[in-house]
């Protein structure tokens, strides 16, 4: 089929969402590599969590994926979120900015907060409890369940710290530098922590601190 399409000047784009390591995915990726080597007109666009993409490209015979161009999605621009809220809800700049900061640029949070604010007839403060509950039910429970004990411990230390300063987090947890580095890197790669500012870590997920503290202390 691909050879026929090539003769007719056609191309095939395969789009895969939320990829992860499965036997079917490994079989497809292996076949895709062969098609590319044969100069066939097939192209691949995949999206997924950093951890899953990383696991896939570390599989035997699939390391060619390391050479594939990658685009890491960043948080949405808070100014653009604020403008959107202000336009759709008729808010003043201060309230729209406060709403935008609540989302931390997380695209799902942007949608959810907008939805519950609309249901609350433009009162975003009234929407916050539903906003929080929705994120916890549909995102944070799964994130928490997939964390190891060490991941959860570090997340708790970050949540209990005043501003995410690494030294303070390690003191709260009585954690060594090596142990801290291992779990910090894991949570950064999973997109839970932002570690771009030297010596500090902060959650990328809005209102996640409260959820972590409650879950850890109950656990």
């Amino acid at each position: 089929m691909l050879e026929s399409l090539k003769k007719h000047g056609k191309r095939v784009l395969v789009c895969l969402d939320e990829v992860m390591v499965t036997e079917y995915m490994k079989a497809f990726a292996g076949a895709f590599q062969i098609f590319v080597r044969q100069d066939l007109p097939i192209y691949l666009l995949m999206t997924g969590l950093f951890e899953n993409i990383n696991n896939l490209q570390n599989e035997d015979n699939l390391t060619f994926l390391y050479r594939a161009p990658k685009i890491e999605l960043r948080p949405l621009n808070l100014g653009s979120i604020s403008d959107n809220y202000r336009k759709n809800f008729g808010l003043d700049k201060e309230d729209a900015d406060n709403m935008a900061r609540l989302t931390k640029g997380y695209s799902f949070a942007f949608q959810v907060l907008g939805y519950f604010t609309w249901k609350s007839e433009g009162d975003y403060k009234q929407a916050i409890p539903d906003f929080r509950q929705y994120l916890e039910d549909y995102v944070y429970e799964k994130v928490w369940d997939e964390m190891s004990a060490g991941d959860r411990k570090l997340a708790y230390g970050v949540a209990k710290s005043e501003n995410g300063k690494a030294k303070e987090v390690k003191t709260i947890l009585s954690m060594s530098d090596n142990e801290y580095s291992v779990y910090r890197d894991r949570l950064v790669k999973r997109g839970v922590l932002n570690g771009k500012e030297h010596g500090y870590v902060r959650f990328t997920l809005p209102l996640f601190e409260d959820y972590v503290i409650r879950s850890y202390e109950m656990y």
Side-chain angles (χ1 to χ4, degrees):
M1 182 186 72
L2 290 171
E3 289 173 349
S4 177
L5 289 171
K6 183 177 180 179
K7 291 177 183 177
H8 290 83
K10 305 294 183 181
R11 302 174 185 177
V12 175
L13 174 64
V14 179
C15 299
L16 300 175
D17 191 23
E18 295 293 342
V19 297
M20 61 181 64
V21 178
T22 66
E23 291 304 313
Y24 294 112
M25 186 63 229
K26 288 190 288 186
F28 170 76
F32 175 78
Q33 184 178 17
I34 294 172
F35 296 148
V36 170
R37 286 175 179 171
Q38 294 175 346
D39 196 30
L40 293 170
I42 185 168
Y43 300 84
L44 175 60
L45 176 63
M46 299 191 297
T47 66
L49 298 175
F50 179 92
E51 184 177 33
N52 292 336
I53 296 287
N54 193 56
N55 290 339
L56 184 63
Q57 66 188 13
N58 284 329
E59 284 289 317
D60 291 342
N61 302 320
L62 298 183
T63 53
F64 76 94
L65 290 172
Y66 273 108
R67 301 188 295 275
K70 297 177 183 65
I71 299 174
E72 183 178 348
L73 298 181
R74 304 294 182 183
L76 300 176
N77 181 274
L78 293 184
S80 297
I81 292 177
S82 176
D83 289 343
N84 184 286
Y85 284 151
R86 184 165 46 171
K87 176 182 177 182
N88 284 286
F89 298 118
L91 303 174
D92 60 30
K93 187 176 185 306
E94 182 179 0
D95 281 342
D97 286 349
N98 288 337
M99 279 187 73
R101 280 191 286 269
L102 270 174
T103 72
K104 288 191 173 182
Y106 180 39
S107 57
F108 185 64
F110 165 53
Q111 296 170 340
V112 172
L113 182 58
Y115 171 71
F116 284 114
T117 300
W118 172 74
K119 287 193 68 176
S120 301
E121 300 181 346
D123 186 347
Y124 80 91
K125 293 180 180 178
Q126 183 179 330
I128 290 176
D130 287 331
F131 169 63
R132 180 195 302 272
Q133 188 63 48
Y134 201 88
L135 290 178
E136 291 183 358
D137 289 346
Y138 290 95
V139 180
Y140 298 167
E141 284 185 9
K142 181 172 177 58
V143 171
W144 186 255
D145 287 344
E146 292 178 349
M147 285 185 181
S148 69
D151 294 335
R152 293 175 179 177
K153 180 180 177 181
L154 179 59
Y156 179 71
V158 175
K160 294 291 285 186
S161 67
E162 288 188 13
N163 54 14
K165 191 173 183 179
K167 183 177 180 180
E168 181 185 1
V169 174
K170 286 183 281 189
T171 299
I172 291 171
L173 301 175
S174 299
M175 184 176 279
S176 68
D177 291 344
N178 289 338
E179 187 181 10
Y180 170 83
S181 296
V182 169
Y183 293 111
R184 172 197 175 279
D185 290 348
R186 280 169 55 93
L187 292 182
V188 167
K189 288 179 178 179
R190 295 190 65 187
V192 175
L193 290 180
N194 182 334
K196 291 183 178 179
E197 184 179 355
H198 181 69
Y200 290 84
V201 285
R202 294 182 175 87
F203 289 118
T204 61
L205 304 171
L207 306 180
F208 195 52
E209 294 88 346
D210 294 341
Y211 179 82
V212 167
I213 291 172
R214 281 187 282 109
S215 299
Y216 191 86
E217 292 180 350
M218 289 176 62
Y219 180 79

